[in-house]
């Protein structure tokens, strides 16, 4: 059965009615999931296997039958490990039906159907008894319910319910415990993602609105590949603290709790950010440990396991605070059943001042409409100066400007540079209120516009944009406003260029690579399910990725493949281009795509590569925007003899505002 779905088009701004299969949503969920990444995580799988073997052995040593409950079984991998280790029976619970179906096929294919029962329910709905889903309570609890924040997928309520209803008292648990670590740091780069910083425009200071600078911000975690933030980009103000542990073999509470760690400040500085990660002990003795620590904590960073399903967490303190070396501090982590937040207190005269129990809450609205990376983009001084120089070259005392971008500061810059009238056109009332807090007398912040203007300015940035070319919405806005612009109106930027480069990923390829066999078990049905979902649509599209977090090597020279002239209105006919690029030596996993904007004849800003590719192919990517990645179905090996090349074809369809693309790799 197919249904018509209304979807907001991020490029054109229109509401498109499209016919979708009833299976589209779950195909999209599977295609963009981290299942393949988890199966490729050998460190995780090996540690789980070791922990399961040890737990089964301990139960057998007591003379008991081993009954395993596996919550969040996914592919059924951990249940198959348990049976192989000697478990008598496993109940494998999986709430996502397509995944439960795949687990059923995988278990059957590996010959474990008589020992493993797949239960397609949420664990809190599982029943125990003669007529229940489980005949008896389990004495081994195996789970993989964790996210980057540890508890964000509801691990605590699930464990709480399992101990009350599904497992025996004194059961073995794999993992046995989890421990959360945190370190207080000062970091200009990371703090720029939390608060709007003062900036200079043509010699004048632009201060953030008091409501924004005094706001505690949103408490939500910022999860990133912290290994890609080198240690010289932050200053530790305290030691790595053990904040709290959870013993999963005992009853667990999901009630709100707080835990504190006190220490003297290691150095003077501005306490701004908390870096955090966790590890899990697979056995009671703590001899089998799976750690999420970033690579720079390892003696040999190259030996650190890579994973994308579990990363590291960055938390921003509600208030930046200056601390002095030797000053006694107390770092507090609080959590409810799904999230964590941190606060910092001074310890005065041996008296501990407790942290307030309430979580930070945004009251200025800016933290609700601007993402972390958007704050970083607005705070980028070099980027700001590029736009200011471009605006200075075109603004005159009688200029009438209209700005089109979501929550942009360009209209404010235009006013500070002397424009006669400035209008800021915003898509939403909330964005309008945020910009109005900046105490610069822009003529008007509006959600509609009817005046005649001689200048249209934009970054462009739109909060609805997912892929780089979705910001072509600026072009559609320019076209819609054409009758309100003077004939020779200045358009800034004047054009956009789509660029591409073929790349070899250091690790990101794992999220799309089939697994085949995992720890000796055939998970082919999982590979088939993922490929079917990719073939449903996703394999023919690029996906957004912040490539600064995922090192890659360029195997071709970057190339500008398609240019969009903003001085003209959006054309009625498609724009097409095709060509090819020769490979250097390497293993090509796909193509990276990004946009570059020509502000004027001399100034260009890139949303992708920020420096030329080195001779070795090293790439440096923008920290603020996601790039598009088109993964090839299978990697392509090139010997570097110049005979292999990637051929490309792009078509921009004005009617739908999308870019269709196709790539083939061939050897001459």
């Amino acid at each position: 059965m197919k249904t018509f779905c209304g979807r907001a088009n991020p490029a054109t701004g229109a509401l498109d009615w499209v016919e979708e299969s009833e299976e589209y949503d779950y195909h999209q969920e599977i295609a963009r999931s981290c299942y393949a990444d988890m199966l490729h995580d050998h460190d995780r799988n090996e540690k789980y296997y070791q922990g399961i073997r040890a737990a089964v052995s301990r139960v057998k040593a007591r003379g008991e039958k081993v009954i395993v409950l596996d919550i969040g079984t996914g592919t059924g991998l951990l249940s198959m490990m348990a049976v192989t280790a000697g478990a008598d029976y496993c109940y494998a619970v999986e709430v996502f039906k397509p995944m439960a179906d795949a687990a059923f096929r995988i278990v059957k294919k590996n010959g474990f159907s008589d020992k493993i029962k797949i239960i397609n329910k949420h664990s809190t709905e599982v029943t125990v008894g003669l007529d229940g889903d489980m005949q008896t309570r389990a004495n081994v609890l195996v789970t993989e319910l964790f996210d980057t924040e540890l508890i964000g997928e509801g691990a605590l309520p699930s464990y709480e319910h399992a101990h009350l209803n599904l497992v025996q008292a004194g059961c073995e648990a794999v993992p046995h415990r989890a421990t959360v670590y945190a370190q207080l740091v000062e970091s200009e780069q990371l703090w720029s993602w939390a608060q709007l910083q003062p900036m200079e425009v043509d010699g004048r200071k632009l201060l953030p609105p008091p409501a924004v600078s005094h706001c505690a911000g949103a408490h939500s975690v910022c999860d990133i590949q912290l290994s890609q933030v080198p240690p010289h980009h932050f200053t530790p103000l305290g030691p790595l603290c053990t904040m709290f542990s959870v013993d999963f073999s005992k009853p667990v509470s999901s009630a709100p709790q707080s835990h504190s760690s006190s220490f003297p400040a290691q150095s003077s500085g501005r306490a701004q950010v908390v870096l955090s990660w966790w590890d899990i002990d697979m056995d009671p003795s703590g001899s089998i440990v799976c750690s999420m620590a970033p690579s720079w904590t390892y003696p040999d960073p190259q030996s650190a396991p890579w994973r994308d399903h579990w990363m590291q967490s960055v938390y921003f303190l509600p208030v930046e605070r200056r601390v002095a070396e030797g000053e006694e501090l107390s770092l507090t982590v609080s959590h409810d059943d799904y999230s964590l937040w941190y606060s910092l207190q001074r310890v005065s005269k041996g008296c501990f001042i407790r942290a307030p129990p309430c979580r930070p809450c945004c009251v200025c609205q800016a933290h609700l409409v601007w993402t972390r990376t958007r704050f970083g983009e607005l705070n980028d001084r070099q980027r700001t100066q590029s736009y200011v120089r471009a605006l200075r070259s075109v603004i005159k005392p009688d200029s009438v400007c209209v700005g089109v971008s979501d929550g942009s500061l360009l209209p404010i810059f235009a006013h500070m540079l002397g424009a006669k009238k400035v209008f800021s056109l915003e898509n939403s009332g909330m964005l309008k209120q945020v910009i109005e807090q900046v105490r610069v007398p822009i003529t008007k912040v509006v959600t509609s516009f009817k005046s005649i203007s001689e200048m249209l300015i934009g970054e462009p940035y739109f909060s609805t944009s997912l892929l780089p070319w979705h910001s072509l919405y600026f072009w559609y806005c320019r076209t819609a406003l054409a009758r309100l612009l003077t004939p020779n109106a200045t358009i800034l930027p004047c054009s956009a260029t789509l660029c591409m480069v073929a790349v070899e990923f250091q690790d990101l390829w794992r999220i799309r690579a089939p697994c085949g066999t995992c720890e000796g078990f055939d998970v082919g049905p999982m590979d088939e399910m993922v490929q079917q979902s990719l073939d449903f649509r996703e394999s023919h599209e690029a996906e957004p990725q912040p490539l600064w977090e995922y090192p890659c090597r360029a195997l071709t020279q970057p190339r500008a493949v398609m240019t969009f002239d903003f001085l003209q209105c959006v054309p009625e006919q498609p724009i097409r281009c095709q060509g090819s690029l020769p490979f250097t030596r390497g293993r090509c996993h796909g193509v990276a795509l990004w946009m570059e904007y020509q502000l004027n004849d001399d100034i260009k800003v890139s949303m992708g590569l920020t420096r030329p590719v080195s001779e070795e192919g090293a790439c440096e990517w923008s920290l603020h925007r996601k790039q598009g990645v088109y993964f090839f179905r299978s990697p392509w090996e090139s010997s570097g003899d110049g005979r292999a090349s990637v051929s490309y074809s792009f078509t921009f369809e004005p009617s739908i505002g999308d870019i269709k693309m196709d790539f083939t790799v061939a050897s001459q």
Side-chain angles (χ1 to χ4, degrees):
M1 176 179 154
K2 293 188 176 182
T3 58
F4 279 101
C5 302
R7 301 188 187 279
N9 187 312
T12 66
L15 180 65
D16 294 341
W17 288 93
V18 294
E19 190 179 46
E20 294 286 15
S21 165
E22 62 182 0
E23 299 174 335
Y24 172 72
D25 286 338
Y26 90 69
H27 277 302
Q28 188 179 59
E29 177 71 18
I30 293 168
R32 298 183 181 180
S33 69
C34 291
Y35 292 123
D37 174 35
M38 288 187 281
L39 293 175
H40 283 290
D41 188 347
H42 175 67
D43 178 71
R44 162 196 177 271
N45 300 336
E46 183 181 46
K47 301 292 176 56
Y48 260 102
Y49 211 165
Q50 292 173 1
I52 288 169
R53 287 194 193 103
V56 170
S57 295
R58 290 193 297 273
V59 175
K60 282 187 171 294
R62 299 196 292 262
E64 302 174 20
K65 278 191 172 184
V66 180
I67 308 299
V68 176
L69 172 62
D70 175 8
I71 300 179
T73 193
T75 60
L77 176 66
L78 303 185
S79 288
M80 293 189 294
M81 289 178 175
V83 172
T84 304
D88 294 283
Y89 202 78
C90 290
Y91 296 101
V93 181
E94 175 57 50
V95 68
F96 187 38
K97 188 176 188 308
M99 197 69 247
D101 293 342
F104 181 86
R105 295 195 300 274
I106 290 170
V107 165
K108 182 177 180 180
K109 188 168 189 176
N110 286 275
F112 295 112
S113 295
D114 60 331
K115 292 289 190 77
I116 299 174
K117 179 182 179 181
I118 306 297
I119 303 172
N120 180 208
K121 287 185 175 181
H122 193 283
S123 64
T124 57
E125 298 173 346
V126 172
T127 58
V128 179
L130 293 179
D131 298 323
D133 301 305
M134 300 171 59
Q135 294 294 297
T136 183
R137 287 183 177 229
N139 52 15
V140 176
L141 176 58
V142 176
T143 60
E144 209 282 48
L145 299 171
F146 314 117
D147 67 348
T148 293
E149 204 172 14
L150 182 67
I151 65 173
E153 291 185 2
L156 295 181
S158 295
Y159 272 111
E160 185 175 46
H161 176 270
H163 277 286
L164 288 172
N165 301 281
L166 305 177
V167 299
Q168 300 173 19
C171 73
E172 300 289 343
V174 182
H176 181 82
R177 84 175 61 81
T179 303
V180 173
Y181 303 93
Q183 185 169 37
L184 180 69
V185 304
E186 174 182 353
S187 173
E188 181 179 357
Q189 175 188 330
L190 297 177
W191 187 244
S192 74
W193 297 350
Q195 292 289 353
L196 198 60
Q197 305 298 315
M199 56 191 72
E200 190 169 295
V201 179
D202 215 30
R204 298 169 60 188
K205 277 278 189 182
L206 177 62
L207 300 176
V212 176
S213 58
H214 297 155
C215 179
H219 82 282
S220 58
V221 64
C222 177
D223 54 341
I224 63 171
Q225 291 284 357
L226 200 52
S227 297
Q228 299 309 312
V229 179
H232 66 268
H233 281 197
F234 59 86
T235 302
L237 300 180
L240 183 64
C241 301
T242 300
M243 299 307 300
F244 68 95
S245 293
V246 182
D247 186 337
F248 297 126
S249 70
K250 298 176 180 178
V252 171
S253 172
S254 62
Q257 296 182 30
S258 293
H259 310 269
S260 297
S261 180
S262 298
F263 53 87
Q266 291 181 345
S267 60
S268 299
R270 296 171 296 164
Q272 301 166 325
V273 176
V274 175
L275 310 181
S276 180
W277 56 87
W278 48 267
D279 62 29
I280 44 180
D281 295 327
M282 296 298 183
D283 65 326
S285 68
S287 61
I288 308 169
V289 182
C290 186
S291 175
M292 305 311 122
S295 62
W296 36 258
T297 65
Y298 286 69
D300 175 16
Q302 297 300 317
S303 68
W306 184 88
R307 46 178 69 96
D308 204 45
H309 55 104
W310 296 330
M311 295 188 282
Q312 295 78 38
S313 300
V314 174
Y315 297 90
F316 304 96
L317 293 177
V319 178
E320 179 185 62
R321 177 174 293 175
R322 287 201 168 272
V323 299
E325 183 178 354
E327 183 179 4
E328 286 293 325
L329 303 172
S330 178
L331 183 65
T332 298
V333 60
S334 302
H335 71 79
D336 53 21
D337 49 352
Y338 282 93
S339 59
L340 285 73
W341 59 95
Y342 283 82
S343 57
L344 182 71
Q345 300 80 34
R346 291 184 172 92
V347 179
S348 178
K349 297 180 181 179
C351 298
F352 173 67
I353 304 174
R354 276 198 180 276
C358 59
R359 76 180 73 194
C361 178
C362 175
V363 295
C364 72
Q365 300 189 73
H367 299 89
L368 303 179
V369 297
W370 286 335
T371 63
R372 303 292 192 195
T373 50
R374 179 58 172 163
F375 268 101
E377 188 170 52
L378 294 172
N379 287 322
D380 187 328
R381 296 187 187 93
Q382 184 175 346
R383 175 183 178 277
T384 294
Q385 289 310 309
S386 293
Y387 281 99
V388 168
R389 284 190 291 114
L391 286 170
R392 188 188 296 120
S393 70
V394 294
I395 286 178
K396 302 177 179 60
D398 60 348
S399 293
V400 177
C401 307
V402 59
V404 177
S405 280
D406 286 354
S408 175
L409 300 180
L410 294 196
I412 295 168
F413 298 164
H415 169 82
M416 296 177 72
L417 290 168
K420 179 182 178 182
K421 289 184 179 180
V422 182
F423 297 88
S424 179
L425 184 59
E426 295 292 347
N427 268 331
S428 75
M430 189 176 290
L431 281 166
K432 177 176 179 289
Q433 291 176 39
V434 169
I435 295 301
E436 285 177 334
Q437 294 179 54
V438 183
R439 295 182 178 178
V440 173
I442 300 177
T443 302
K444 192 171 286 188
V445 182
V446 295
T447 54
S448 61
F449 178 74
K450 297 181 180 179
S451 299
I452 299 296
S453 175
E454 59 192 29
M455 188 177 300
L456 178 67
I457 58 177
E459 304 182 31
Y461 171 85
F462 302 100
S463 56
T464 54
S465 297
L466 297 175
L467 289 162
W469 45 93
H470 288 168
S471 289
L472 289 176
Y473 180 55
F474 177 80
W475 202 10
Y476 288 84
C477 292
R478 178 258 183 273
T479 302
L481 294 172
R483 60 186 177 81
L484 300 176
L485 300 174
T486 58
N488 296 316
T490 297
I491 311 295
L492 188 156
C494 57
S495 66
T497 301
L498 176 65
C499 302
M500 65 165 276
V501 64
V503 294
E504 175 182 18
F505 285 110
Q506 180 175 303
D507 296 295
L508 189 64
W509 60 269
R510 302 173 197 269
I511 70 172
R512 288 292 169 267
C515 188
T517 300
C518 181
E519 306 304 320
F521 302 101
D522 186 345
V523 293
M526 175 68 196
D527 293 335
E528 293 166 9
M529 182 181 73
V530 171
Q531 192 58 55
Q532 286 172 4
S533 291
L534 285 168
D535 289 343
F536 190 81
R537 179 174 299 168
E538 301 293 323
S539 64
H540 307 294
E541 297 179 349
E543 60 183 73
Q545 294 287 352
L547 290 185
W548 73 270
E549 295 186 56
Y550 304 107
C552 63
R553 183 167 70 96
L555 300 183
T556 65
Q557 287 299 313
R559 175 168 293 185
V561 293
M562 190 174 272
T563 297
F564 309 93
D565 184 1
F566 293 164
L567 299 181
Q568 306 298 321
C569 292
V570 176
E572 295 182 359
Q573 299 302 315
I575 301 174
R576 295 184 174 88
C577 77
Q578 59 184 23
S580 63
L581 280 171
F583 280 133
T584 57
R585 180 186 300 273
R587 184 178 176 86
C588 185
H589 295 112
V591 172
L593 303 127
W594 69 98
M595 298 293 277
E596 294 182 351
Y597 296 101
Q598 197 72 41
L599 303 187
N600 60 21
D601 291 341
D602 304 315
I603 302 173
K604 179 173 65 178
V605 291
S606 173
M607 305 301 159
L609 288 173
T610 56
R611 290 186 180 179
V613 172
S614 72
E615 289 186 8
E616 297 76 23
C619 301
E620 189 170 311
W621 299 95
S622 167
L623 300 178
H624 313 311
R625 300 281 181 105
K626 291 183 178 181
Q627 292 72 44
V629 177
Y630 187 106
F631 286 100
F632 296 157
R633 177 169 288 197
S634 57
W636 183 269
E637 297 282 356
S638 171
S639 61
D641 58 7
R643 299 177 65 182
S645 63
V646 56
S647 297
Y648 58 83
S649 153
F650 292 90
T651 302
F652 171 66
E653 296 282 358
S655 61
I656 59 174
D658 199 10
I659 297 177
K660 302 298 181 183
M661 60 192 71
D662 188 43
F663 301 92
T664 55
V665 181
S667 183
Q668 297 176 352

